[in-house]
Amino acid sequence: MSEERFDAIIVGGGLAGSAAAYTLAKAGLEVAVIERGTSCGSKNVTGGRLYTHSLRRLISDFEETAPLERKIVKERIVLMTEDSATTIEYGAEKLKDDSCASYAVLRAKFDPWLAEKAEEAGAFYITGIRVDKLLQKNGRVCGVIAGEDILEADVVVLADGVNSILAQQIGMKKELAPHQVAVGVKEVIGLDEKTVSERFGVNAGEGVACLVSGDPTGGSVGGGFLYTNKDSISIGTVVTLEHIGSGKGVKVPEMVERFKANAVIAPLLAGGELLEYSAHLVPEGGYSMVPELFWNGVLLVGDAAAFVISLGYTFRGMDFAIESGRLAAETILLAKEKNDFSAAGLSDYQAFLEHSFIMRDLRHYRNMPQFMDSPQMYKEIPALADEILGGMFVVDGSASPKLTTSVLSTVNRSVSLTELVNLGLKAYGAL
Amino acid sequence: MAKMSVDDKLGVDRFLTDEGNPHILIDETYNDEKQINRVVMACPAGLYTYEDGKVSFNYEGCLECGTCRVLSSGKLIKSWSYPRGSKGIEFHQG
Ligand SMILES: Cc1cc2nc3c(=O)[nH]c(=O)nc-3n(C[C@H](O)[C@H](O)[C@H](O)COP(=O)(O)OP(=O)(O)OC[C@H]3O[C@@H](n4cnc5c(N)ncnc54)[C@H](O)[C@@H]3O)c2cc1C
Ligand code: SF4
């Protein structure tokens, strides 16, 4: 690496890092992005559905060139037991509107596209290099250390993802706790494009997002996800680290096998070929997990800042990563005008975040992590749906009880009415 | 789709292993069974095994998620870092 000094160094060429780099480079700043993978995206995993509102603000014509897999036009929520599945499907024309459009993406393809946009704007990418430490002088961060090399800058943006070891090293973040993060295990399964469209009942270019609660994790707090790509399916499970081993005691790598074997999922994958197996952590603590966001000469963005909300029926981290990257860049542009990169000079970041959807939504759903931590959500509720619907649709010639009697007796047996009411009230409070 | 073992799944992935330079070190004398079993259950790549009171670990095949670090840093895990730049797992889908 050269002795050159940059206006800004960004650690991590994921979505948050490249959104920051793009914004800074476009404004004419000298910016370097350092990425440990051989190419951007080669270390990154998402579910993945990207809500595009923040990307549209960054690059309005992204749809013309971005590698988008399929536009999500159908939403499915599934309550799953070992041998049953209760599915709610929602489809609406408005899901296709530009204002709320969402697409399935694959990060090893999407991240290089965003990085290329930033490079075109003038950002300098250094890939295949791991930053080992932050360079600090006189109580402020002023660069990075990678092996023998030192690179200096006015400000460093930590876009290094959920583990953010660098933010931990300088004390901005504590070690992650097992209740704050979940591990996602994912498979990408290749199928031809026509088969994907036919199996999911969608037109070419359109797709389905499906979130699952219940059996995949064997009753542990977590769930399953499935997204349709152009000619593959992304499928996986997510489980909070704290709860691994609870419920039926299913090992993490077995969860995805369990999910794939479920009778409603297996036919969707038939004839498919495994293209990749991956795993990644997801911050799940919500608002209470957000660390110190800026300090002298340094800002945190994306997963490093724990900007993720997990609501059970949807997952959002990528739109937060892009927006926080852009806002960190806007903050740096102001700091450059003032020539003040101290914590005080960077404090506009907090105000920008407060006025954006990031802090608004994190605050709005601040009680969600506690609600999602209810084991009933993953065990009793799917079982309840199974018993009630099974009672309605299993016709074998024997005497059927009156529907109300059968529903009430089922409810009483699997979960007490008080528990159900409490869960409902908790949901009401969390939403 | 036929059921696949974790090893077969890892066989589909691409790794640039940093030979002789493990990025995760474990304390082989660590003996809290409950803690060890948690890590064995949790590792998505199934890289930890615990047999006859002995824990073994192989860093090749690590997906670099950080799960073992969060669960057992300072206990079973002696040190954990990402592999050196450009080494380790290389995703082509993500
Ligand atoms: C299983 C799963 C499902 C998800 N589903 C969804 C979804 O459907 N929708 C959604 O919006 N979000 C989803 N998320 C969350 C979303 O993927 C993340 O919020 C998003 O990827 C965060 O982007 P980022 O740029 O902050 O971090 P990352 O994408 O993690 O990027 C961090 C980058 O920093 C690099 N890096 C780290 N350390 C160093 C270092 N020391 N030196 C150099 N480089 C370094 C890494 O290689 C990486 O490229 C999901 C996450 C998971 C794991
Ligand atoms: S980082 Fe993840 S994949 Fe690697 S050994 Fe730890 S738990 Fe297993």
Side-chain angles (χ1 to χ4, degrees), chain A residues 203-256:
Chain A
N203 297 317
E206 296 184 341
V208 177
C210 171
L211 285 176
V212 184
S213 159
D215 192 67
T217 53
S220 297
V221 172
F225 61 86
L226 183 156
Y227 298 93
T228 51
N229 303 315
K230 187 161 174 259
D231 51 8
S232 65
I233 288 172
S234 292
I235 184 164
T237 53
V238 175
V239 59
T240 312
L241 297 197
E242 171 123 304
H243 294 283
I244 291 172
S246 68
K248 294 176 186 157
V250 179
K251 275 185 166 181
V252 169
E254 277 159 26
M255 290 177 181
V256 66

Side-chain angles (χ1 to χ4, degrees), chain A residues 133-134 136 141 158 165-173 292 295-296 298 300:
Chain A
K133 262 190 185 157
L134 295 173
Q136 294 188 68
V141 173
L158 294 181
I165 296 170
L166 297 171
Q168 288 183 9
Q169 276 175 3
I170 58 167
M172 286 179 78
K173 249 178 109 163
E292 198 181 339
W295 187 60
N296 298 324
V298 59
L300 264 58

Side-chain angles (χ1 to χ4, degrees), chain A residues 232-396:
Chain A
S232 65
I233 288 172
S234 292
I235 184 164
T237 53
V238 175
V239 59
T240 312
L241 297 197
E242 171 123 304
H243 294 283
I244 291 172
S246 68
K248 294 176 186 157
V250 179
K251 275 185 166 181
V252 169
E254 277 159 26
M255 290 177 181
V256 66
E257 278 305 317
R258 234 181 134 87
F259 185 26
K260 283 161 56 194
N262 187 282
V264 297
I265 301 292
L268 299 173
L269 310 175
E273 176 202 0
L274 180 70
L275 302 179
E276 189 165 273
Y277 180 69
S278 59
H280 202 279
L281 291 183
V282 199
E284 286 218 313
Y287 184 71
S288 68
M289 188 183 164
V290 173
E292 198 181 339
L293 294 167
F294 57 93
W295 187 60
N296 298 324
V298 59
L299 295 156
L300 264 58
V301 294
D303 274 11
F307 291 153
V308 173
I309 47 179
S310 144
L311 301 177
Y313 56 89
T314 199
F315 238 116
R316 287 174 58 194
M318 291 189 280
D319 55 335
F320 283 70
I322 291 173
E323 186 76 353
S324 59
R326 187 181 70 80
L327 294 176
E330 297 291 347
T331 307
I332 292 169
L333 295 177
L334 284 182
K336 177 131 181 102
E337 271 174 31
K338 298 180 279 188
N339 194 27
D340 179 3
F341 298 95
S342 68
L346 295 174
S347 62
D348 291 313
Y349 187 41
Q350 188 75 42
F352 284 152
L353 290 168
E354 293 292 341
H355 288 109
S356 74
F357 70 85
I358 296 181
M359 284 304 178
R360 185 198 62 203
D361 291 359
L362 277 166
R363 245 193 223 110
H364 184 77
Y365 295 112
R366 67 191 307 163
N367 295 325
M368 207 61 196
Q370 289 94 292
F371 169 63
M372 300 288 289
D373 217 33
S374 326
Q376 288 108 318
M377 284 274 297
Y378 309 93
K379 226 167 77 205
E380 277 89 354
I381 301 296
L384 184 64
D386 176 31
E387 282 212 38
I388 293 175
L389 291 163
M392 286 160 67
F393 294 113
V394 174
V395 175
D396 56 8

Side-chain angles (χ1 to χ4, degrees), chain A residues 371-429:
Chain A
F371 169 63
M372 300 288 289
D373 217 33
S374 326
Q376 288 108 318
M377 284 274 297
Y378 309 93
K379 226 167 77 205
E380 277 89 354
I381 301 296
L384 184 64
D386 176 31
E387 282 212 38
I388 293 175
L389 291 163
M392 286 160 67
F393 294 113
V394 174
V395 175
D396 56 8
S398 56
S400 326
K402 236 179 107 193
L403 192 56
T404 44
T405 325
S406 105
V407 168
L408 277 178
S409 74
T410 308
V411 169
N412 270 330
R413 230 176 321 120
S414 36
V415 47
S416 80
L417 265 181
T418 336
E419 272 180 303
L420 262 192
V421 170
N422 277 339
L423 200 62
L425 284 174
K426 258 167 108 181
Y428 183 73

